[in-house]
Every structure is written in C-alpha cells, then in structure tokens.
Amino acid sequence: LKKSHKRMNLLYKNKMSISFEKWIEKVDFYIQQEIDMGIRDIPDNCYRDIHEMGYTPKEAARQTLDEVYYIF
C-alpha cells in the first residue's frame, strides 16, 4: 500500500477502536445536545454502517441531523 493509504487505514482503525455500543451512546448524546431528542425519537439511520465506515460520533450525529432535519 502507498503511504497515504496506510495512513488512511490507520485513521480508520483508530476511529473503529470504540465499540459500537459506546459509539452509539455518544451519537445519541450529540443529537440530544442539538435537538433535545435522542436517536429513538427521530427516524432511523443506518448507524451500524456509519460506524463501520469510520465516522466519529460527532460526524455521525451531524450526518443524521442533516438527513433527518434540514437545519438552517
């Protein structure tokens, strides 16, 4: 692999180091901070897939809110 690909793989693995259960708790926390509702109160998202893609909890929360609610 090229150096840049190795670096991206390392970054991906670092993001994946948190368990899905802990990760989703943090996603829920960030969403609650924005809209005073949790992930159980809004339309479902493919959280497991998002976690496996390497999103941080904050990135996942923002992506979810951008899809579910068009925030101005």
Side-chain angles (χ1 to χ4, degrees):
L1 291 173
K2 291 182 177 181
K3 202 176 210 178
S4 62
H5 286 92
K6 286 182 182 178
R7 184 172 181 273
M8 288 183 72
N9 286 341
L10 179 61
L11 290 172
Y12 177 77
K13 287 179 184 176
N14 286 341
K15 287 184 180 182
M16 291 293 291
S17 64
I18 186 171
S19 72
F20 178 75
E21 290 76 21
K22 293 287 184 191
W23 181 87
I24 198 72
E25 286 175 14
K26 290 183 178 197
V27 173
D28 191 40
F29 170 79
Y30 288 124
I31 289 174
Q32 287 180 34
Q33 294 299 306
E34 287 288 325
I35 62 171
D36 292 327
M37 290 189 289
I39 59 174
R40 289 180 178 83
D41 304 315
I42 60 177
D44 197 20
N45 202 346
C46 300
Y47 294 110
R48 178 77 63 179
D49 292 340
I50 294 169
H51 176 258
E52 290 175 3
M53 286 189 286
Y55 282 59
T56 65
K58 191 173 256 185
E59 291 169 337
R62 175 55 36 212
Q63 187 265 353
T64 298
L65 292 172
D66 287 347
E67 283 191 19
V68 174
Y69 298 98
Y70 186 72
I71 300 174
F72 293 90

